[in-house]
Amino acid sequence: MALESCSHGNPGMNFFQEHISPIDGNRCSSYPSCSQYSNTAFKKHGAVMGWIMACDRLVRCGRDTATLSKKVVINSEVFAFDPVEANDFWWYEEKVE
Amino acid sequence: MTFGGMRKKLNKMKYFPIILLTLFLISLCPNNGVCGKKEIVLNADMQYNYAQKCFKEKDYTTAIFEYKRFINFFSDHENVTSAEFKIGEAFYNLKDYEKAVMAFNKIILAENPEILTPPGSDLSESNITDAYFMKSKALVLLGKFVASEVCMHNLLKITEDKITQDRAYSFLTLLYLKIAETNPDALIRAKKYLQEISLESVDKPQKDHLAKTLADMNNLKTKSPAIAGITSIIPGAGYVYCERYKDGLVSFLFNTALMIAAYKAFDDGNHALGAAISFVEAGFYTGNIYGSISSAHKYNRRKRNEYIQKVHNQFHIRIDSSKEDEQIQLFFKVPF
């Protein structure tokens, strides 16, 4: 499974993913990466909640989340699986199509 | 033609009627072993046994075809219901659960008595009971949990047999334990059905195990999202409450540093910088509160899933409906 960028209309994240992240590669120990998570949160919940969830993720990433979350293996690397859905299930109801 | 030639020709012709008669007699000969081909008459038992043989050899596709042929040609035979049940089982084993449901439904709808007699007293009633369970299992595997529950409730309405009722309640318990993986409210229903299982038919170790399992459900460790939110007024305290000590420490240090930085910036008259830092800090502070509440919910979900897994692993309710043994070893295994 390739790490996908999820930069939909977020200029800050777009800039980070296109110009800063490629310098040292993906260093996030979680999947999706923090920038992808932020983009998804912004897209799903809007600017305010997206910003709050992104800040929460930046604090948590690589610490207790790494031990408590399920693991996924991508390109032979192990990541902590921490999608947006794992952090908004208690207040956001997914629309069933 | 000479006289001698005509005489020869007449001699040959006298054999002609004999040849003609012989051919006529051969054409009348019946098609029996004497002439080479043998006719086989297939009776009901032969057809049914052949279908059974195919089923036992796990050639389910052929078995389905042969059972259907049996039902078609021997529709009055006593094994018709068994054959229909076997068709359903064959579809189930082929993982064609939609067709399995239809096959079992056919049995349920065709022979739906007001009250079922206990299993073992009549083969057809036993097939109806098993048809209900197999249909429910297939519906679970199709993800149709509500339909599966309805099926079990329909069975409970028409059966007076304690063993069958306990099987049904056990099935419903495990069904709701399965649903509880995504819907926590289902755990309450699981507990309710667990209590409905007749403890008279369970031996003492099972009874103690059941009682302990019920007690464990009441004692699940939980974290209050409200307390997590209130304690997170102090940055990081909410995470610590939820036993996320590293997150708590990082949150405390980061928020404290940003607050001090914002204060210093304003104190030095650098209002623009102070505002920018304050904006960032507002995001992280609010994120700290959100993360604390979210951590409490995640903690509760994790504990619930661990409990459900423990129940699945250790507490196998398996119904062994052996007719010889009325002392039930109450185990029920649903292959989720």
Side-chain angles (χ1 to χ4, degrees):
Chain A
M1 194 195 310
L3 291 170
E4 299 165 6
S5 81
C6 191
S7 50
H8 298 289
N10 188 324
M13 288 303 154
N14 286 348
F15 179 81
F16 175 81
Q17 285 180 336
E18 285 168 22
H19 300 288
I20 298 175
S21 187
I23 294 171
D24 58 358
N26 178 39
R27 297 205 298 163
C28 191
S29 60
S30 299
Y31 178 83
S33 67
C34 292
S35 59
Q36 291 163 3
Y37 181 98
S38 303
N39 267 328
T40 308
F42 273 96
K43 190 185 169 196
K44 193 174 175 187
H45 299 304
V48 174
M49 277 311 299
W51 171 235
I52 292 170
M53 290 183 75
C55 292
D56 165 50
R57 170 62 180 271
L58 288 170
V59 167
R60 288 188 297 106
C61 185
R63 281 162 275 284
D64 290 304
T65 300
T67 45
L68 293 172
S69 298
K70 290 179 187 173
K71 306 289 182 283
V72 287
V73 178
I74 302 168
N75 296 333
S76 309
E77 279 186 74
V78 179
F79 294 90
F81 187 57
D82 185 36
V84 169
E85 291 73 32
N87 294 282
D88 66 5
F89 65 92
W90 51 277
W91 62 273
Y92 181 79
E93 207 171 303
E94 301 280 347
K95 290 188 184 94
V96 178
E97 290 176 17
Chain B
M1 191 182 281
T2 63
F3 181 71
M6 277 181 68
R7 219 173 123 191
K8 276 184 190 172
K9 200 168 182 181
L10 278 169
N11 280 338
K12 281 181 190 171
M13 282 182 69
K14 76 177 175 189
Y15 293 113
F16 185 70
I18 298 168
I19 294 167
L20 204 64
L21 183 65
T22 309
L23 285 171
F24 177 71
L25 287 171
I26 289 171
S27 72
L28 290 177
C29 182
N31 198 13
N32 55 26
V34 175
C35 298
K37 279 194 178 177
K38 189 175 177 180
E39 199 175 77
I40 300 171
V41 177
L42 201 64
N43 61 31
D45 289 334
M46 287 168 72
Q47 175 64 45
Y48 185 75
N49 290 338
Y50 177 63
Q52 292 279 74
K53 180 173 171 283
C54 292
F55 188 93
K56 275 180 192 154
E57 288 170 359
K58 298 189 181 178
D59 185 1
Y60 297 119
T61 310
T62 309
I64 289 167
F65 180 78
E66 294 301 332
Y67 280 123
K68 282 184 177 175
R69 188 177 5 213
F70 168 78
I71 294 166
N72 183 53
F73 287 110
F74 306 104
S75 53
D76 293 331
H77 198 273
E78 60 179 4
N79 280 340
V80 162
T81 309
S82 290
E84 283 173 346
F85 183 83
K86 282 295 190 188
I87 290 171
E89 256 196 304
F91 277 127
Y92 185 92
N93 292 334
L94 287 169
K95 297 191 189 338
D96 193 341
Y97 301 119
E98 292 277 5
K99 284 189 181 156
V101 168
M102 283 164 58
F104 293 125
N105 218 28
K106 200 175 161 191
I107 300 171
I108 291 166
L109 292 175
E111 299 187 56
N112 197 14
E114 285 185 11
I115 291 289
L116 282 174
T117 55
S121 61
D122 185 285
L123 187 63
S124 63
E125 264 71 43
S126 177
N127 277 330
I128 298 171
T129 305
D130 289 340
Y132 273 98
F133 281 107
M134 290 301 294
K135 180 184 167 186
S136 290
K137 277 190 199 179
L139 286 166
V140 167
L141 289 163
L142 286 169
K144 295 179 181 176
F145 300 135
V146 173
S148 181
E149 186 188 4
V150 168
C151 182
M152 279 293 102
H153 279 291
N154 288 342
L155 175 62
L156 283 166
K157 272 184 203 163
I158 62 170
T159 185
E160 288 177 339
D161 176 57
K162 210 63 196 156
I163 298 173
T164 307
Q165 287 176 349
D166 285 343
R167 275 181 78 185
Y169 286 127
S170 301
F171 186 98
L172 287 165
T173 304
L174 284 179
L175 172 65
Y176 271 94
L177 282 173
K178 175 72 179 169
I179 297 170
E181 288 172 9
T182 49
N183 180 2
D185 292 337
L187 214 56
I188 300 165
R189 299 290 294 270
K191 184 181 167 184
K192 176 194 150 201
Y193 287 125
L194 195 62
Q195 286 170 325
E196 296 285 346
I197 299 171
S198 157
L199 293 181
E200 290 168 0
S201 44
V202 182
D203 57 14
K204 192 158 189 325
Q206 277 289 307
K207 193 172 174 177
D208 291 344
H209 199 173
L210 270 167
K212 188 177 180 306
T213 304
L214 284 173
D216 284 348
M217 281 177 77
N218 293 328
N219 298 332
L220 278 180
K221 249 177 108 178
T222 57
K223 296 289 180 190
S224 166
I227 294 174
I230 291 166
T231 52
S232 64
I233 290 171
I234 302 167
Y239 286 119
V240 170
Y241 168 72
C242 296
E243 299 176 15
R244 286 176 174 248
Y245 305 111
K246 291 178 194 168
D247 292 348
L249 179 64
V250 169
S251 178
F252 175 76
L253 292 172
F254 200 75
N255 280 282
T256 308
L258 282 174
M259 283 177 192
I260 292 171
Y263 172 76
K264 283 282 185 188
F266 281 119
D267 201 39
D268 293 341
N270 202 337
H271 298 291
L273 179 63
I277 295 172
S278 298
F279 174 76
V280 172
E281 166 52 16
F284 278 95
Y285 187 76
T286 324
N288 146 72
I289 297 173
Y290 176 87
S292 299
I293 298 171
S294 179
S295 295
H297 284 286
K298 286 194 277 191
Y299 180 94
N300 294 339
R301 187 168 72 167
R302 193 170 67 249
K303 288 297 169 193
R304 199 165 44 240
N305 287 342
E306 282 172 5
Y307 169 77
I308 291 167
Q309 199 55 49
K310 179 184 154 191
V311 170
H312 273 291
N313 290 341
Q314 292 179 10
F315 182 46
H316 288 135
I317 314 176
R318 191 189 78 214
I319 294 290
D320 185 17
S321 60
S322 63
K323 297 172 184 64
E324 310 83 50
D325 187 9
E326 285 300 315
Q327 182 66 33
I328 294 168
Q329 295 168 13
L330 206 72
F331 303 108
F332 181 70
K333 212 167 190 176
V334 176
F336 287 117

